Amino acid sequence: MQLLFLGTGAGMPSKQRNTTATVLKLLDERGTFWMFDCGEATQHQILHTTLKPRKLEKLFITHLHGDHIYGLPGLLGSRSFLGGDEPLTIYGPAGIKAWIEVTLATSKTHIKYALNIEEIEEGIIFEDDQFIVEAKFLEHVIPCFGYKVTQKALPPELLIEKTDALDVPRGPLLRQLKEGYDVELADGRIVKSSEVTGEPKDGFQVTILGDTKFCESSILLSKRSDIVVHEGTFDQETAELAGLYGHSTIIDAANVCKEAEAKHLIVNHISARFMPSDIKNMIAQVAHYEFPIYVAEDFAEYDWSNGLLKKIPRE
Ligand SMILES: [Zn+2]
Ligand SMILES: [Zn+2]
């Protein structure tokens, strides 16, 4: 899994940061990617990456402010034009369906794939054999969701050197062993699944929050997540503005993470008032927290594997 930040700015695009769009790359897990919010010009940002719009499988909208949705109509149209024919599901708060349908209808944008738009409530909004997605209302100036993505435990790995040592023939018996069944070999010996498989591996848990002030819901949703993506529109010196506009400071974000006992924090949705040279100062304000904290810039990408989060160096 990788997290790719296409836009990390707040309110309006700036030269440094486009408006919000966060990609959860699940190419290894399911051959697709999911997106959280789609600020204006997100499809322009995609052009600078290796993402293929036809592989966009799910889009989660946190709230209906323009800096989170103005990129939708263009991206939805291009996805069709670029040959995307797999269904796409959009999840979001009440109002998202009408807004998309009116925009597409009045601009005569014809979409050739099945577009499902689900206006959601709090709770589990999606589940299959791999993933669970849970939504929870946060505290912003309009209704705004946070989303938690939980990957289910991965089946234990089949240890092929062990099956070879026991002379288990390659073929269907291996699949049965991998799926947890004990098998009988042609010579009558019984091979136990537990003898030839590794430990089951926990999946990851990543919580991607929308615009919000510091609130209990963020903590509850983020509980023990491996990664929390939290807005940090402001910093210590501008904390008053955060309170005024229903936003957070980077310190609020760190406190949510700490109280939730989460393992890593990535901060996005940074006000345009902060120049790249100010980011050091922002990070210094949260240097004393005991977990790693990153401030994402546009196109920053983080890889999650074997329980470790690593920033992928940009070419
Ligand atoms: Zn915003
Ligand atoms: Zn907002």
Side-chain angles (χ1 to χ4, degrees), residues 9-11 20 37 62-63 65-68 140 210-211 231 233 247 269:
T20 304
D37 287 333
T62 60
H63 66 303
H65 276 154
D67 57 327
H68 299 256
H140 191 40
D211 291 6
E231 70 132 290
T233 314
H247 285 298
H269 201 272

Side-chain angles (χ1 to χ4, degrees), residues 44-62:
H44 298 236
Q45 301 292 89
I46 288 178
L47 293 175
H48 298 285
T49 71
T50 55
L51 294 172
K52 306 261 182 297
R54 65 186 154 81
K55 294 201 170 168
L56 172 60
E57 180 199 359
K58 293 181 181 297
L59 231 159
F60 301 86
I61 299 299
T62 60

Side-chain angles (χ1 to χ4, degrees), residues 27-28 41 44 58 64 72 82 87 110 120-121 128 139 142-143 154-155 164 177 213 227 230 238 241 257 264 272 277:
L27 296 170
D28 294 337
H44 298 236
K58 293 181 181 297
L64 301 184
L72 270 173
L82 293 168
H110 299 293
I120 57 163
E121 292 294 332
D128 68 2
E139 289 182 28
I142 60 169
L154 302 164
D164 280 352
L177 287 165
K213 58 184 185 182
I227 306 166
H230 194 301
T238 51
L241 296 172
C257 215
H264 304 84
S277 54

